[in-house]
Amino acid sequence: MTKVPELFGSLVFDESTMRELLPKDAYRALKAAIAQSKPLTPDVANVVAAAMKSWALEKGATHFTHWFQPMTGITAEKHDSFISPTGDGRVIMEFSGKELIKGEPDASSFPSGGLRATFEARGYTAWDPSSFAFIKDNTLCIPTAFCSYSGEALDKKTPLLRSMEAVSRQAVRVLHLLGKTQVKNVKSTVGAEQEYFLIDKEVYLKRKDLIYTGRTLFGAEPPKGQQLEDHYFGAIKPRVAAFMQELDEELWKLGVPSKTRHNEVAPAQHEMAPVFNTTNVATDQNQLAMELMKKVAARHGMVCLLHEKPFAGVNGSGKHNNWSLSTDSGENLLDPGSTPYENAQFLLFLAAVIKAVDDHQDLLRVSVASAGNDHRLGANEAPPAIVSMFLGDELTGILEAIEQGSGYNSKASSEIAIGADVLPTFPRDNTDRNRTSPFAFTGNKFEFRMLGSSFSVADSNTVLNTIVAEALSLFAADLEKASDINAAIADIVARTMKEHKRIIFNGNNYAAEWVVEAEKRGLLNLRSTPEALKRFATEQNAKLFEKHGVLSRTELHSRQEIFFEGYSKIIAIEASCLVSITRKRLLPAVLEYSKELAATALAKKQLSQAIDTGVEERQVTKLSALATKLDEKLNQLITAIADSEKLSDGAELADFSHDKVFASMEALRIVIDEVELIVAKKYWPVPTYGDLLFSVQ
Ligand code: ADP
Ligand code: MG
């Protein structure tokens, strides 16, 4: 194997490649364009494109594509080859600056939430030079933003980039007020820990529900699940280890700094975490990681499941979004530092996050809402649907002391006086861990743990950046008026605590008492996706996104429409899949097994009336009753589906899909799982949970 440092980034047209291959002026112009988020001039673009082309051809690329992130949540690419016929039966390989900078894919088949009706079908993609081009499948991939011709964002990346600018603007404004006038920009950073399941391909192919919906729609609990807690951090099986090794190598080639790998809590569940990066790059890299997990698994005869809840009864999969803010000189603004001055700055940014999370619980909740994630959030699993923050006792204690203007007695028992203009020094990294919190401070960053495993991290970070930008802008306005900056900071921190401390909860977020307590505190508890989505395009949120230039009203409304629609479609697919499997496979299996039992009983009786056929009779009786119930629940589901098809309003349909269609699926599932436990293995037509969860040995 090539040495890792040589392998790393070998398929990326990155900083060092650019420096090596571009003429000095072009390199400088490109760097300046990236730093200022400005477009390239046609001349520079041509030079960059030419260098990129020769580099890509040398690496075996035959095609190029604008790689973008439509509202489907996954990535899209349409390959064009470099060939250009010369007229004499030959071709040359061409790639122009124009082709690098802008593409014009047909936008009409991507979700647009109504934008398509009012605007041209054509969309265009524009290079995001802050994310490097790379080679995948012999194709030069150019990371791009995707917009309609009139400039509306049709993707997840455009608002993310806008939100990064918004938070940078406000953070720089605050830092300048604190005297750090040398800071030119601030970047939000993200490290996305990715959970996934691996199962054997042969077994997978026998579960149509997994194939069509990514999750099992039924399945009785296996005798062994995660009770023994023997999988978490356990020794990695050779087949999985081989997968992980190849995955890391593939990721490294693409410059994704995959760092950690381990077994997770549920059987067959694992995790990968990279070293963090700027938010837009981390988003691209997480998309690549998810794509590669699927590809590499296939090479090892396995399937990688990224669904939030592939199996009921064992843990689902999430994505931990580690987030922070960092200046252009690399200073982490959520690092407490070790001097009172650094602390003042830290406490101010910390206060901004506290205010942001409390004021905009709704948006954070919306950003993690999906049919898949509904199985995790608030469903007796980590984390709950209620947004709250964990700060740890030490930090909470300090903030409370500032709020009360009193001294704080730190755990290290060094008395710290807090006056109006003196902020405390306190021990770093004294945060204990609370694994149950949806939004936890972990030493020098926040870990937002509510994201689902299949999510693009773009939406949550767009929200995080925007809401923190808003809090910072309000603080900046106060600081601009202040005569004594330290007193003003202390005042802001104290006021933030007074107004927003309800959002801080250091206890067990899974406990039933928390739900009651959270309600008393007036925190939102949006239990399902439809409930959450209704909170998205409110007037308050429209103003917020508009103020920071992240989403226009039209974009916001279209996104809400897309999310409603997406949710209802997923439920509809799951429902029709369950109907079909129940009808075509499960019900027939029950009837067949009953027939076999009845035939056995009859045969025995024919042989001799004295033979006991009690077992067969009791089983047939039980099965017949269950078959009736199965049929009844199946018909209720069919009716619910038919009724849902009469609805056209997005919100109404989503509500109905949740309250009626999904509920009917759950009711049917209960009967199926009961039946599965009785029907003989040889008659049960699909692999069981045991077969699936322990398929990779
Ligand atoms: P933990 O013990 O909380 O899992 P790690 O140090 O392993 O902490 O980090 C988890 C993730 O957080 C990694 O992806 C890491 O790169 C990321 N991370 C660390 N520092 C930052 C930061 N300043 N901004 C964003 N992500 C970060
Ligand atoms: Mg973590």
Side-chain angles (χ1 to χ4, degrees), residues 193-199 231 236 240-241 243-245 247-248 251 258 260-273 289-290 293-294 296-297 302-308 310-311 315-319 453-454:
E193 302 168 49
Q194 176 71 48
E195 292 182 337
Y196 60 95
F197 279 85
L198 283 178
I199 61 170
H231 195 252
I236 299 167
V240 174
F243 158 87
M244 287 178 167
Q245 185 63 28
L247 175 66
D248 275 349
L251 288 172
S258 173
T260 319
R261 57 194 195 193
H262 63 81
N263 286 349
E264 258 300 329
V265 171
Q269 193 185 28
H270 314 279
E271 181 179 302
M272 184 284 287
M290 290 194 285
M293 281 173 171
K294 296 204 168 232
V296 175
M302 298 187 287
V303 174
C304 174
L305 304 177
L306 288 171
H307 193 282
E308 284 70 28
F311 308 100
N315 274 13
S317 297
K319 184 134 58 192
S453 47
S454 69

Side-chain angles (χ1 to χ4, degrees), residues 178-252:
L178 300 188
K180 289 211 169 148
T181 46
Q182 76 283 11
V183 176
K184 290 207 176 57
N185 69 63
V186 166
K187 290 246 155 42
S188 59
T189 51
V190 162
E193 302 168 49
Q194 176 71 48
E195 292 182 337
Y196 60 95
F197 279 85
L198 283 178
I199 61 170
D200 188 85
K201 185 153 188 195
E202 295 294 311
V203 198
Y204 168 85
L205 289 174
K206 295 185 182 132
R207 287 287 305 224
K208 291 277 189 258
D209 47 353
L210 276 179
I211 295 176
Y212 292 134
T213 73
R215 74 178 182 101
T216 53
L217 299 174
F218 59 91
E221 276 189 38
K224 181 179 188 298
Q226 61 191 47
Q227 308 93 324
L228 299 180
E229 297 172 331
D230 54 351
H231 195 252
Y232 191 58
F233 285 7
I236 299 167
K237 289 177 185 134
R239 212 170 144 196
V240 174
F243 158 87
M244 287 178 167
Q245 185 63 28
E246 194 175 326
L247 175 66
D248 275 349
E249 285 168 21
E250 293 291 333
L251 288 172
W252 291 337

Side-chain angles (χ1 to χ4, degrees), residues 53-299:
K53 182 191 72 180
S54 356
W55 170 83
L57 293 179
E58 206 163 288
K59 301 269 178 195
T62 51
H63 291 70
F64 70 92
T65 184
H66 277 199
W67 186 72
F68 59 104
Q69 312 188 8
M71 294 303 294
T72 52
I74 53 174
T75 57
E77 49 193 77
K78 181 189 115 211
H79 299 179
D80 277 304
S81 74
F82 289 116
I83 66 162
S84 168
T86 49
D88 56 357
R90 309 247 133 195
V91 294
I92 51 166
M93 302 299 255
E94 273 189 347
F95 183 52
S96 68
K98 220 173 120 218
E99 286 170 311
L100 166 64
I101 292 181
K102 198 164 167 181
E104 299 193 3
D106 184 353
S108 60
S109 296
F110 291 105
S112 78
L115 285 179
R116 205 168 51 228
T118 26
F119 301 99
E120 260 193 282
R122 270 188 315 164
Y124 72 90
T125 49
W127 184 30
D128 161 23
S130 59
S131 183
F132 302 127
F134 57 89
I135 296 174
K136 180 171 73 76
D137 303 326
N138 299 319
T139 302
L140 172 67
C141 299
I142 300 145
T144 53
F146 178 43
C147 294
S148 76
Y149 248 85
S150 39
E152 267 84 14
L154 293 173
D155 66 349
K156 298 202 176 228
K157 186 161 208 172
T158 306
L160 178 65
L161 291 169
R162 294 175 184 160
S163 76
M164 288 172 73
E165 275 178 40
V167 77
S168 176
R169 223 165 17 238
Q170 301 305 333
V172 167
R173 187 174 157 204
V174 166
L175 288 170
H176 283 194
L177 288 164
L178 300 188
K180 289 211 169 148
T181 46
Q182 76 283 11
V183 176
K184 290 207 176 57
N185 69 63
V186 166
K187 290 246 155 42
S188 59
T189 51
V190 162
E193 302 168 49
Q194 176 71 48
E195 292 182 337
Y196 60 95
F197 279 85
L198 283 178
I199 61 170
D200 188 85
K201 185 153 188 195
E202 295 294 311
V203 198
Y204 168 85
L205 289 174
K206 295 185 182 132
R207 287 287 305 224
K208 291 277 189 258
D209 47 353
L210 276 179
I211 295 176
Y212 292 134
T213 73
R215 74 178 182 101
T216 53
L217 299 174
F218 59 91
E221 276 189 38
K224 181 179 188 298
Q226 61 191 47
Q227 308 93 324
L228 299 180
E229 297 172 331
D230 54 351
H231 195 252
Y232 191 58
F233 285 7
I236 299 167
K237 289 177 185 134
R239 212 170 144 196
V240 174
F243 158 87
M244 287 178 167
Q245 185 63 28
E246 194 175 326
L247 175 66
D248 275 349
E249 285 168 21
E250 293 291 333
L251 288 172
W252 291 337
K253 282 189 220 167
L254 289 173
V256 182
S258 173
K259 175 89 175 157
T260 319
R261 57 194 195 193
H262 63 81
N263 286 349
E264 258 300 329
V265 171
Q269 193 185 28
H270 314 279
E271 181 179 302
M272 184 284 287
V275 177
F276 70 95
N277 222 317
T278 53
T279 314
N280 63 325
V281 174
T283 302
D284 289 359
Q285 295 190 333
N286 182 251
Q287 290 289 353
L288 282 175
M290 290 194 285
E291 183 181 329
L292 279 169
M293 281 173 171
K294 296 204 168 232
K295 274 193 188 149
V296 175
R299 289 185 214 146

